[in-house]
Amino acid sequence: QVPYSIMADAGTSNLLPEDKPRSDDRVGQVQREVDEVSGIMKDNVQALVQQSNHLNDLNTKTEDLLSEAKNFKKTSTALKNQLWWQDMRIQLIIGSVVGVIVLIIIVKIASAFSSDEEETYN
């Protein structure tokens, strides 16, 4: 005996043996489409997770770079100030040496003039 399916047609029921295979084909087709969509969704979820991980890595690298930039600025500012003071000390030392040399020259010239004046009075 052939398995029958019941098909409602305007209130009457007819038994059609050919409906059974078509129904199975349709269910199989729908199942394949569901499986395909499910696979696509799983791939999308995996891609989202990977993108999330990449974004987290980028965020961490950005925070590290910002921290390093702040440390660089702090260190470079301290170095700039240190070099400025070192330059000022060198300029003060050179200025002092030049000043002492000029003072010695002035004293020598002044003493030479005063000895010449004493000789002219004597």
Side-chain angles (χ1 to χ4, degrees):
Q1 204 176 29
V2 177
Y4 290 95
S5 65
I6 298 175
M7 182 173 186
D9 186 15
T12 63
S13 62
N14 298 325
L15 299 177
L16 302 173
E18 63 273 358
D19 283 348
K20 181 73 170 149
R22 277 190 268 163
S23 177
D24 286 344
D25 287 344
R26 180 71 180 140
V27 170
Q29 180 184 1
V30 169
Q31 183 62 44
R32 284 189 298 274
E33 288 175 5
V34 167
D35 290 342
E36 182 181 348
V37 170
S38 177
I40 291 171
M41 291 302 295
K42 286 178 184 178
D43 292 344
N44 288 343
V45 168
Q46 276 184 327
L48 283 174
V49 168
Q50 288 176 349
Q51 287 177 351
S52 176
N53 289 339
H54 290 303
L55 287 175
N56 287 337
D57 291 344
L58 280 174
N59 191 27
T60 301
K61 288 178 182 179
T62 302
E63 289 172 355
D64 292 345
L65 188 59
L66 180 62
S67 175
E68 289 175 17
K70 286 179 181 180
N71 287 337
F72 175 78
K73 183 176 181 178
K74 184 177 172 182
T75 303
S76 64
T77 302
L79 181 61
K80 182 184 85 168
N81 290 340
Q82 180 184 2
L83 291 175
W84 184 85
W85 278 111
Q86 185 178 3
D87 186 46
M88 283 279 109
R89 279 187 241 135
I90 290 172
Q91 288 182 9
L92 286 173
I93 290 170
I94 291 172
S96 298
V97 169
V98 169
V100 168
I101 291 172
V102 169
L103 187 60
I104 290 172
I105 292 172
I106 291 174
V107 169
K108 289 286 187 178
I109 293 173
S111 66
F113 276 124
S114 79
S115 0
D116 284 344
E117 284 182 14
E118 284 181 14
E119 288 180 12
T120 55
Y121 286 120
N122 289 335

